[in-house]
Structures are given as C-alpha cells and as structure tokens.
Amino acid sequence: MYHLHFGFDAQSPDELRALIRALRRHGKPLVQTVHDLRNPHHLDPGPHDAALDVLIPAADRLITLTRGAADEIERRWSRTARVLPHPHVVEEPELSMPRPPHDGFVVGVHAKSIRPNMRPLSVIHALAEIIEQLPDASLRVDIHTETGNPDAYAYAPHTLEALRSLADDGLIDLRIHDYFDDTQLWDYLRSLDLSVLPYAFGTHSGWLEACYDLGTAVAAPDCGYYAQQRPCFSYHMEDDGPDADTLRSAVLRARHENPAPRARPEARAAEREQIAAAHRALYEEVLR
C-alpha cells in the first residue's frame, strides 16, 4: 500500500500517472491525505491543481483534515474524503509543560523565509497600528537569516529594510535568526499570547496545531479551512494584505479572551489513538 501526504510538488502530472500505473501493476492501493488544496509554496495554483487532478480521482481512499476541505473535494472531483483531524505535533514532556509567565500581551508574526503565500509586511504594518493603541501589548516579528543572504532563494532585502525601520521606530521587536529547532520553536510559541498567520492563501496549518498544543491563540486568515481545524480567531485577507477592521477585531478578541484554550494532553493522546485506529481500519479495508 502507498499512502501519500506530501512530496509530489516536483513531479509532473505524467510522472504521477506513471506512479499510479506502477502501483496498479503491483496491486498496491493508493491512499492520499489531502492536506493542501492550495499549495502555500506556489503563487500559481495551476501546477498543484494539475497534480490533484491526477491523484484524487485515482486514489482508492481519500482522507482530509476538515469538513470544508472534504466538501471542496466532493465539489471539484466528486470524491468522498474521510475527515480525520491532525494529531498533536508537540510531544511530551513539552505537551504538558506549563507556560512561562510574562508581562503584557505579546503578539507574534513569524515571517520564516517568506513563503509565496505570505504577506508579512502588510500584516505587520496593520498590527503595528493596532498594537500602538494597546498600552499592555507588544509586537514581536521573527524572520530567518537567509532573507538577508544575496545567495539565498529567500533573499528579501526590501522586506528586511522595512522591518528594521519599524524596529528602529520602536514599533516591533525584530528577531533575525536561523531556523528554530523543535525545542526553540516550542519555547518561542509559548512566549506569545497570539500568533498571527500572515497567509494570503492556504488550506490547513501544522503551526496552528502546535499553537493549540501549547496554549497560544492564533489569528488566521479566512482563506482555507483554518477555523475548522482548531479554535482560532479569523480575519479577512485580501491578495495584497489584511482587512484592518477584522484583524483588529481578532486581536482584541484574543486579548479579551486571554489565556487561549489549550489542548489537554490526555485528550490529545486519546485523539491520536483514535486517528491511528481509523487509519488501520482504512488500510485493512483497501488491502482486502
């Protein structure tokens, strides 16, 4: 049996058809978990759509993470996908570790290496105006070192220049660093009260799962199915940036409802067992 999650970005539709023919030739069923209906690494949705047009009709069974994604799969391909939630991404002992106390309300935007679906500057500018009106709030912005490397694919000098200007004006706490390892990432997320996802398109989010595990609120755009995946605050995102009013509402609601809901470790463990059992049953079904 072949269970496909990710990793087919670099494969052409013809190569994917060849994969399916090979699986059929050897009597191996194909199970696909559809994480992304819009690929966050592609500005042009065409290549990912073409890949899904090959894979989804051919799969023996489909899984996805939310009801909205399953409904979209039904509309676009007339296929039924089983909805199974994403399991926890933070393991013990971090899953049960207390959140460290801190002063004020800390809002964070992690621009990472500025994926194609990110609009960090427009979101950060809007947040800086919002945070300036909240005396107990601060805005932390993180970005990867490679965005300042002229030889790197992620080189973004204009973005760095704009962020440094905001930092010089005292509007943001700017941190430029290499990729976090898991421990550093969990420590970072625990340091925030609200993590704002600066996405212009996408479907689901592992980052959202980690925040839920650690008790960090999330403000997510209303594209994709983030709000169906885990509890979060939604704001409206246009192609060129956020709607300021809905973003402000999301920040104020998160501040008012702080601390955010946090996954109970025992519930997450039970959920993971249920997800594993559901996968086992599905595998047994296609292997009969």
Side-chain angles (χ1 to χ4, degrees):
M1 193 198 68
Y2 191 95
H3 191 161
L4 181 63
H5 290 263
F6 300 104
F8 55 88
D9 296 44
Q11 308 304 309
S12 70
D14 283 345
E15 288 170 319
L16 294 174
R17 291 186 189 97
L19 167 67
I20 292 163
R21 287 195 298 270
L23 293 174
R24 297 287 183 260
R25 188 164 60 249
H26 294 285
K28 304 295 185 183
L30 171 63
V31 175
Q32 184 184 0
T33 295
V34 184
H35 292 270
D36 294 323
L37 285 162
R38 176 76 191 270
N39 192 315
H41 301 285
H42 295 171
L43 273 177
D44 176 8
H48 191 67
D49 286 347
L52 295 181
D53 283 343
V54 173
L55 293 168
I56 289 179
D60 294 279
R61 295 292 185 278
L62 295 167
I63 299 169
T64 193
L65 306 181
T66 58
R67 183 72 258 160
D71 290 344
E72 182 174 338
I73 290 166
E74 176 68 33
R75 288 195 304 271
R76 291 173 64 180
W77 292 282
S78 299
R79 293 295 312 274
T80 298
R82 180 164 185 183
V83 177
L84 295 175
H86 196 296
H88 64 89
V89 297
V90 180
E91 303 286 351
E92 294 290 9
E94 285 87 356
L95 189 60
S96 297
M97 192 175 293
R99 290 175 61 86
H102 62 258
D103 295 329
F105 183 74
V106 183
V107 178
V109 176
H110 201 316
K112 305 179 188 177
S113 296
I114 315 182
R115 288 187 319 206
N117 75 326
M118 286 187 168
R119 304 294 180 267
L121 271 185
S122 60
V123 170
I124 291 163
H125 278 293
L127 284 170
E129 292 186 11
I130 296 167
I131 298 303
E132 202 172 15
Q133 305 302 314
L134 303 175
D136 66 334
S138 60
L139 177 55
R140 173 174 168 173
V141 175
D142 287 66
I143 193 167
H144 289 151
T145 308
E146 64 179 353
T147 58
N149 179 359
D151 296 325
Y153 178 78
Y155 185 48
H158 299 300
T159 298
L160 277 179
E161 181 182 359
L163 293 177
R164 288 191 172 108
S165 178
L166 288 170
D168 290 344
D169 291 340
L171 296 174
I172 66 171
D173 172 14
L174 178 62
R175 315 282 183 97
I176 303 171
H177 52 78
D178 292 334
Y179 286 66
F180 287 144
D181 63 26
D182 283 353
T183 299
Q184 291 169 328
L185 179 56
W186 308 153
D187 287 343
Y188 160 73
L189 291 177
R190 274 190 289 258
S191 77
L192 305 179
D193 296 294
L194 175 67
S195 180
V196 180
L197 307 185
Y199 303 160
F201 54 85
T203 311
H204 300 116
S205 169
W207 190 275
L208 174 58
E209 296 287 345
C211 286
Y212 181 59
D213 286 339
L214 297 170
T216 300
V218 170
D222 55 6
C223 57
Y225 302 103
Y226 306 114
Q228 294 185 21
Q229 188 178 346
R230 296 295 171 188
C232 63
F233 301 96
S234 295
Y235 70 93
H236 182 60
M237 187 69 143
E238 304 285 355
D239 286 341
D240 58 349
D243 172 74
D245 289 339
T246 56
L247 182 58
R248 179 185 300 274
S249 176
V251 172
L252 293 180
R253 286 180 57 210
R255 179 169 170 258
H256 177 72
E257 297 179 21
N258 192 45
R262 182 176 184 178
R264 292 184 298 109
E266 61 273 19
R268 278 299 230 175
E271 180 185 61
R272 174 167 277 191
E273 289 183 3
Q274 292 164 3
I275 294 167
H279 278 77
R280 182 183 180 90
L282 186 147
Y283 294 162
E284 290 175 344
E285 183 180 316
V286 297
L287 288 170
R288 284 179 189 150

